[in-house]
Amino acid sequence: MNFFQLLQQRKWHAVFGYLLFIGMMSTGYYYNLTFVQLGLEDFAATQLNLGADVIARDMALLAICTCLVALGFGWWMEQQCRRQQFKTKIRISFGVVLSQALLTLYLPLITTEAGFMVWVVFSSIALGVGVPAMFSMTIDLIPVRDRGYVAAIVTAIAYFAAEVFSSEWTFEFFRQQFLWILFLGAAGIGGLAFLKVPWIGSLSNQHTLSEYGIGRFVRTRSDNKSIPSRIVQQMLILMFLIYFIDSLGFLRMLKVPALMHSSWQSPVFSDRLFIAVVHVGGALIAGVLYSSLNERHLFYWIFGMFALTHLQYSLHLRTYGEGKVTLALPMMYALTVSLYTVINFSIWADLSTPKTIGMHSALGVASSAWTATFLSTGLAIFWQGRGMTLEQHIQIVDSLAMLAFLIMVLFAFFKKQEKLI
Amino acid sequence: MKDKQFWLIFSILFAFLCNGCSRNGFYQVSFITEGEHVIHSSLSGDLIILGGSVTILKNALLDGDAHLIAGKLRLDGIIQGNVSALGGTLQVGDHAKINGVLNHGGGELQGSQIENAVEKINTGTRIQIPEVSSQQHQTIIGTLGRWILNAFLIGLLALVLNNYLAGQLMRVGETEIKHFWVSIAMGILVGVVGLTLLVLLAYTLVLIPVALLGMFFLGFSIVFGWISGAVFLGKMAAEKWGRAYSKAEVFGSVFVTIFCFSAIGALPYVGGLANILFGTIGLGATFLTRYGFRRFTPETLYDQK
């Protein structure tokens, strides 16, 4: 790892860069996993008494707006060289964190659906700007060799915290948790953005170094152009499929209390701790494998494991109905989710140059992840509305995962292998 | 590419061949997971019910065994073989006839004429589990003898493998030592996913033989990894001391390594974890190198080239 070399060489500014990136990304993802995905839904249902379809529509609005803002901002970053400067990114991040802190603070004042929609639009603007700005800091702060490991640490912290420190899935619980984190974070980033910190100057130039700037999978000159190269397009499709399969299955399982109360929402702390530890283990495995294997191999594992996980759930539903599950089922799910999250955190930077990172991360995170989540949410609600049983639903998700896995294996089978040394 | 086409066509033909076996009455099974099914006249082969419901009407015949794991079986016809009820509901009608044995291990039995329908009913609630002597009762000499025997047998296996697959053993061993963390990560992944898959296969009952074969394969991969690591370390040591790496050294290095594994495994608290660690390293390196048929080069190094 480069990190240990930097420690030995006492390059404290670079070490600080690691800590800054890990802190920002893990907190941001933790916020997204809990407050945005679970807390907002709870707020709309319990405080505003909105129906499931209305909540789904509002969450869709959040997804679409975030996606559009991220794409627009990513494109803008690519066009404006000044926007690619590290100092500018820090300032933008400060704006994003402060906005989210204020939005989180004032959420309880919302009493009508129209007000909630306005809140959602403002929040999506902050999220949409935050995605390309924060993801693009990867090339400034994290050397190519360490991206897998750093993504693993970010994923491990976010999932561990989300599982262990979220005993209640209510908006007020998450709000109390995040208010001080966001305000403290905003103060810290604000200090870096507007005060004269000597390390910031050194960090600003890191992307020009060969260890940082050019991603691991950038191999041709077309990878530095605005139009996404073939490999970027392939990754967009694969990540879209992964997010789609994951959220299509999980969103429906989320509505079954027996499944959730025996796993992710278990009142027994040791159950949640077990899942958290699996998330951490899965993230570390993914970090090591991402740094050592070809990116395609990890996708085989992810699709194969999703197929296996949903098959497990499918068999459970057929034999025991919608009853309690053993921890073996969420264990496989958590392992798979950790694997793909690590890839999502590192691959967009590894497919990019300093010029294209903004657009690629916007395309990757906003377009494939948010759009997939939005579409799968809509589809899940539509199927539920038409009376599809959970068993049938999971069976379809399982089939999709299996199909994706088989298609990938088939492609791999006929792909001309590069001769290994 | 021609090789690939051959294997693809071979796989498809093999699948057809397997399917053909069932048509010829070699083995046939019906696997019910959902919906409502009615047997009006006759059905060949075994019947496994994992969900939904199956009704065997009066005078209809099931020419095989029935296994009820979940769901419902309404029996008013004839079953030539045994019936095993592990879960769900078995409803025995007035005209039902089971020519074999009814094994009742779980689930609900309904019907007033059950005794008339079958000659023998085995209930699964009083199965005597044979008492297995605990390892703690073994004497030190007995334990040492077991470790020595284990090490000796695996040492012999190493000699055979080294005779035919020396290069492969070296490549796996090299990966274990030089790419320690990648081997562990891959080993954990293969272990967890492999075991889950095997449990799922066993769950279907019909695929228990495949699951057993898979268990053997996983176990053999772990032992292959152990042997490879030991052979590689032994060779490194022999080179350092300027000795030729003969068959005796191969046997010796594997013997000592396996004996040490057994001794470490016996340590309280950490022994079990250490054995899992050794197992995952072996498993991971074996898979990374495809049983040593290719050399593992980390992608980051490959990118740099």
Side-chain angles (χ1 to χ4, degrees):
Chain A
M1 269 179 91
N2 265 23
F3 181 74
F4 297 117
Q5 288 172 7
L6 294 169
L7 267 181
Q8 275 178 346
Q9 293 162 1
R10 294 169 187 270
K11 288 188 175 173
W12 302 120
H13 68 277
V15 174
F16 173 72
Y18 275 77
L19 298 178
L20 178 68
F21 184 80
I22 291 171
M24 281 202 313
M25 295 303 270
S26 51
T27 312
Y29 196 57
Y30 176 35
Y31 178 78
N32 187 42
L33 277 175
T34 51
F35 189 82
V36 177
Q37 288 189 14
L38 304 168
L40 287 186
E41 198 178 334
D42 175 69
F43 174 78
T46 58
Q47 307 296 308
L48 303 179
N49 296 319
L50 301 180
D53 50 341
V54 180
I55 297 173
R57 193 191 60 202
D58 292 347
M59 294 306 276
L61 177 75
L62 177 79
I64 291 174
C65 285
T66 307
C67 181
L68 290 176
V69 173
L71 286 177
F73 192 76
W75 178 81
W76 192 51
M77 271 180 79
E78 196 175 291
Q79 303 305 310
Q80 308 277 321
C81 280
R82 203 168 62 83
R83 306 284 166 225
Q84 294 162 21
Q85 287 173 5
F86 181 67
K87 188 96 181 173
T88 314
K89 289 178 199 169
I90 281 278
R91 284 181 179 166
I92 293 169
S93 301
F94 166 72
V96 168
V97 177
L98 188 65
S99 313
Q100 283 303 142
L102 292 172
L103 283 165
T104 308
L105 179 70
Y106 291 119
L107 180 64
L109 300 180
I110 308 278
T111 50
T112 59
E113 201 218 332
F116 183 61
M117 284 173 80
V118 173
W119 188 97
V120 159
V121 171
F122 277 111
S123 181
S124 60
I125 292 170
L127 287 171
V129 171
V131 166
M134 289 190 183
F135 268 78
S136 63
M137 281 190 213
T138 317
I139 57 158
D140 297 295
L141 304 176
I142 310 297
V144 177
R145 261 182 74 183
D146 286 359
R147 280 178 191 165
Y149 305 116
V150 168
I153 293 168
V154 169
T155 306
I157 293 173
Y159 279 124
F160 188 85
E163 200 51 46
V164 171
F165 304 128
S166 308
S167 52
E168 285 176 48
W169 285 11
T170 59
F171 102 94
E172 190 50 40
F173 179 83
F174 294 132
R175 184 174 162 271
Q176 295 291 339
Q177 226 177 28
F178 277 106
L179 272 179
W180 69 270
I181 296 177
L182 287 170
F183 277 111
L184 269 181
I189 299 172
L192 293 175
F194 298 105
L195 299 177
K196 208 169 185 182
V197 182
W199 284 344
I200 296 294
S202 312
L203 292 176
S204 301
N205 297 324
Q206 284 196 145
H207 70 272
T208 55
L209 303 173
S210 59
E211 305 98 284
Y212 287 83
I214 309 295
R216 191 177 136 194
F217 305 120
V218 178
R219 285 176 185 148
T220 59
R221 293 183 72 176
S222 65
D223 292 337
N224 197 30
K225 287 182 181 168
S226 297
I227 300 163
S229 64
R230 203 170 152 188
I231 186 168
V232 177
Q233 290 169 25
Q234 285 171 357
M235 291 304 143
L236 281 172
I237 294 169
L238 289 174
M239 288 310 290
F240 176 88
L241 274 173
I242 287 172
Y243 271 97
F244 187 79
I245 289 168
D246 176 27
S247 38
L248 188 63
F250 195 72
L251 280 168
R252 186 67 193 267
M253 285 195 277
L254 207 64
K255 310 284 180 203
V256 184
L259 289 183
M260 286 293 125
H261 287 147
S262 52
S263 50
W264 284 274
Q265 270 185 298
S266 171
V268 184
F269 177 72
S270 58
D271 288 354
R272 285 187 284 123
L273 183 66
F274 173 78
I275 298 172
V277 170
V278 170
H279 268 302
V280 172
L284 297 180
I285 288 171
V288 172
L289 294 182
Y290 177 84
S291 307
S292 310
L293 298 185
N294 186 301
E295 75 282 4
R296 287 194 310 271
H297 286 103
L298 285 170
F299 282 106
Y300 302 143
W301 277 102
I302 292 166
F303 283 120
M305 283 168 73
F306 261 134
L308 193 61
T309 308
H310 286 105
L311 187 64
Q312 272 184 307
Y313 272 99
S314 202
L315 276 174
H316 172 83
L317 290 167
R318 281 173 197 179
T319 46
Y320 302 106
E322 296 179 8
K324 279 172 68 177
V325 290
T326 59
L327 283 175
L329 276 75
M331 180 188 79
M332 275 294 287
Y333 210 116
L335 200 59
T336 318
V337 166
S338 284
L339 280 185
Y340 87 73
T341 310
V342 168
I343 295 187
N344 190 46
F345 272 121
S346 39
I347 201 152
W348 307 115
D350 274 344
L351 288 166
S352 310
T353 62
K355 188 189 167 204
T356 58
I357 178 74
M359 191 60 193
H360 283 175
S361 49
L363 271 172
V365 181
S367 163
S368 75
W370 282 92
T371 315
T373 310
F374 154 65
L375 282 176
S376 55
T377 309
L379 198 59
I381 290 166
F382 175 71
W383 281 348
Q384 203 169 358
R386 293 197 58 176
M388 186 183 278
T389 62
L390 176 66
E391 188 188 320
Q392 288 171 320
H393 187 114
I394 296 296
Q395 211 173 337
I396 293 173
V397 180
D398 187 28
S399 310
L400 273 176
M402 188 57 89
L403 187 69
F405 175 68
L406 289 176
I407 290 172
M408 279 213 70
V409 169
L410 213 63
F411 268 109
F413 191 71
F414 285 108
K415 190 178 164 64
K416 210 173 182 181
Q417 291 285 321
E418 290 171 75
K419 202 172 180 183
L420 292 168
I421 308 147
Chain B
M1 191 60 102
K2 275 187 177 174
D3 278 355
K4 287 179 179 177
Q5 279 171 358
F6 166 77
W7 284 110
L8 191 68
I9 292 166
F10 175 79
S11 309
I12 293 167
L13 288 177
F14 186 72
F16 278 128
L17 191 71
C18 292
N19 201 27
C21 290
S22 70
R23 279 279 150 230
N24 294 333
F26 180 69
Y27 182 70
Q28 206 168 333
V29 62
S30 302
F31 195 72
I32 308 295
T33 58
E34 61 183 353
E36 293 195 2
H37 305 265
V38 180
I39 300 172
H40 293 277
S41 53
S42 71
L43 180 73
S44 299
D46 293 345
L47 175 68
I48 296 172
I49 305 166
L50 260 175
S53 78
V54 176
T55 306
I56 302 177
L57 294 177
K58 186 182 167 187
N59 295 329
L61 173 77
L62 172 68
D63 192 13
D65 296 338
H67 304 279
L68 176 64
I69 296 160
K72 198 167 191 176
L73 173 61
R74 290 190 201 94
L75 175 64
D76 212 19
I78 304 157
I79 292 181
Q80 282 291 21
N82 302 325
V83 175
S84 306
L86 298 172
T89 309
L90 174 61
Q91 215 173 58
V92 182
D94 295 346
H95 305 99
K97 181 73 188 159
I98 300 169
N99 287 333
V101 178
L102 170 60
N103 299 308
H104 181 218
E108 198 183 340
L109 275 184
Q110 290 176 354
S112 54
Q113 304 289 321
I114 298 175
E115 283 78 14
N116 296 339
V118 61
E119 281 187 13
K120 194 178 177 192
I121 303 176
N122 293 324
T123 50
T125 48
R126 289 183 188 172
I127 295 171
Q128 292 292 316
I129 297 169
E131 201 171 307
V132 181
S133 61
S134 164
Q135 284 186 13
Q136 286 166 347
H137 296 303
Q138 281 189 354
T139 60
I140 294 174
I141 295 172
T143 308
L144 276 176
R146 192 163 48 83
W147 293 355
I148 290 170
L149 185 66
N150 270 350
F152 181 78
L153 291 175
I154 296 178
L156 286 183
L157 180 64
L159 279 180
V160 176
L161 289 174
N162 191 54
N163 210 24
Y164 297 103
L165 300 167
Q168 282 80 350
L169 287 179
M170 279 300 164
R171 279 192 280 273
V172 176
E174 184 190 26
T175 306
E176 283 176 26
I177 309 299
K178 290 187 179 169
H179 308 292
F180 179 78
W181 292 110
V182 190
S183 299
I184 289 183
M186 181 53 88
I188 294 173
L189 210 55
V190 172
V192 171
V193 175
L195 283 175
T196 309
L197 183 65
L198 295 179
V199 169
L200 273 183
L201 291 176
Y203 197 70
T204 62
L205 297 183
V206 279
L207 292 173
I208 284 176
V210 182
L212 290 175
L213 208 65
M215 281 301 280
F216 172 77
F217 182 67
L218 268 186
F220 182 74
S221 305
I222 291 171
V223 174
F224 193 86
W226 285 346
I227 292 173
S228 306
V231 170
F232 184 76
L233 283 175
K235 195 178 179 197
M236 277 171 66
E239 278 171 5
K240 197 175 178 184
W241 292 324
R243 289 175 64 98
Y245 198 51
S246 65
K247 283 180 182 174
E249 266 94 7
V250 169
F251 179 82
S253 55
V254 175
F255 183 90
V256 170
T257 308
I258 301 299
F259 188 84
C260 289
F261 281 0
S262 304
I264 293 168
L267 291 173
Y269 305 113
V270 290
L273 276 177
N275 268 353
I276 292 173
L277 186 73
F278 297 143
T280 51
I281 296 169
L283 191 62
T286 308
F287 271 78
L288 282 169
T289 56
R290 316 272 200 277
Y291 271 83
F293 282 95
R294 48 162 269 188
R295 173 166 286 145
F296 172 69
T297 311
E299 199 66 21
T300 35
L301 295 181
Y302 196 57
D303 290 341
Q304 283 165 18
K305 284 190 173 77

